[in-house]
Amino acid sequence: MNAAQIERFFATLKAANPAPQTELEFSSVFELLTAVLLSAQATDVGVNKATKRLFAVANTPAQILALGTEGLESHIKTIGLYRSKARHLLQTCRILIDRHGGEVPRSREALEALPGVGRKTANVVLNVAFGEPTMAVDTHIFRVGNRTGLAPGKTPLAVELGLLKRVPAAYLVDAHHWLILHGRYVCQARKPLCSACAVADECDHGRQLKSAAA
């Protein structure tokens, strides 16, 4: 994709969804961090079901710690890898209280120092909670970046750096959401819905399909 195609690609996605939002449900930065930490290898729908139960009884680091391991696990056991996630979340809550006054830090370094929080999770928090132009490359964004030709790369980091370099500044803060939603609902893994795709004319894959059909 060249610069003009990338501009049209994001202009089209923005026109269809001017204010994209994460599908994770939260009402505070700590709730967001918790939801993202729990979301690894799980669907947003599944995480939302679990956090709805959890946040009704505990939605601060101190309250989560008060639940203890068994209490926390009982609220999130419907999520995959819930035992390790519970351990990481409890450790994270302790660090937030001991080092950050119970608040979620705003720096990447401090976020990535939290148990269970890697680069992708830190990027989500920095983007969604603090409005920073980061790019959290999950399986959807990795696929879209490569399939469309927007930011090809062999690793999530390569795709992330490619996107940060190629996405126009005007779209950068919301690009993460547009790309995830596009990958989740249109540019799907097994059967991409190219015939219904509004940006197929800008996409390498879409143009290849048109050329083959001509």
Side-chain angles (χ1 to χ4, degrees):
M1 295 175 72
N2 59 37
Q5 290 163 342
I6 292 172
E7 170 66 33
R8 291 193 297 268
F9 181 93
F10 282 104
T12 301
L13 295 180
K14 180 177 182 178
N17 186 3
Q21 302 291 326
T22 178
E23 294 186 323
L24 290 171
E25 296 173 356
F26 67 97
S27 59
S28 69
V29 179
F30 175 71
E31 286 189 3
L32 172 65
L33 173 64
T34 299
V36 180
L37 192 153
L38 296 175
S39 70
Q41 299 182 42
T43 65
D44 286 359
V45 172
V47 171
N48 288 338
K49 287 181 180 179
T51 55
K52 185 176 182 179
R53 297 190 298 268
L54 174 62
F55 294 156
V57 297
N59 69 343
T60 68
Q63 290 172 348
I64 295 287
L65 281 175
L67 289 177
T69 299
E70 290 187 8
L72 177 55
E73 287 182 355
S74 71
H75 287 90
I76 65 170
K77 61 185 179 182
T78 55
I79 300 175
L81 307 175
Y82 74 93
R83 292 185 190 279
S84 63
K85 290 176 180 178
R87 184 175 68 254
H88 288 151
L89 180 55
L90 288 167
Q91 292 170 342
T92 284
C93 288
R94 172 52 61 194
I95 293 172
L96 291 179
I97 291 173
D98 291 347
R99 302 181 190 174
H100 303 288
E103 300 295 324
V104 177
R106 189 167 181 165
S107 77
R108 175 186 298 282
E109 182 181 13
L111 285 169
E112 291 188 17
L114 299 172
V117 177
R119 185 177 182 88
K120 183 177 74 173
T121 297
N123 278 339
V124 173
V125 174
L126 290 170
N127 178 263
V128 176
F130 301 122
E132 297 193 17
T134 59
M135 199 68 62
V137 177
D138 67 352
T139 182
H140 298 300
I141 293 185
F142 185 78
R143 178 175 64 256
V144 172
N146 278 284
R147 182 182 279 161
T148 62
L150 176 60
K154 293 183 179 180
T155 66
L157 181 58
V159 172
E160 176 188 338
L161 296 177
L163 288 169
L164 291 174
K165 182 178 180 181
R166 303 195 76 201
V167 175
Y171 303 112
L172 204 48
V173 170
D174 290 325
H176 159 249
H177 295 303
W178 286 318
L179 293 174
I180 283 181
L181 295 172
H182 189 64
R184 184 173 290 163
Y185 297 111
V186 181
C187 194
Q188 298 172 349
R190 294 186 179 180
K191 292 184 178 180
L193 307 178
C194 298
S195 61
C197 178
V199 290
D201 288 344
E202 319 307 336
C203 160
D204 286 1
H205 183 68
R207 292 196 307 277
Q208 289 168 3
L209 290 178
K210 283 193 172 184
S211 297

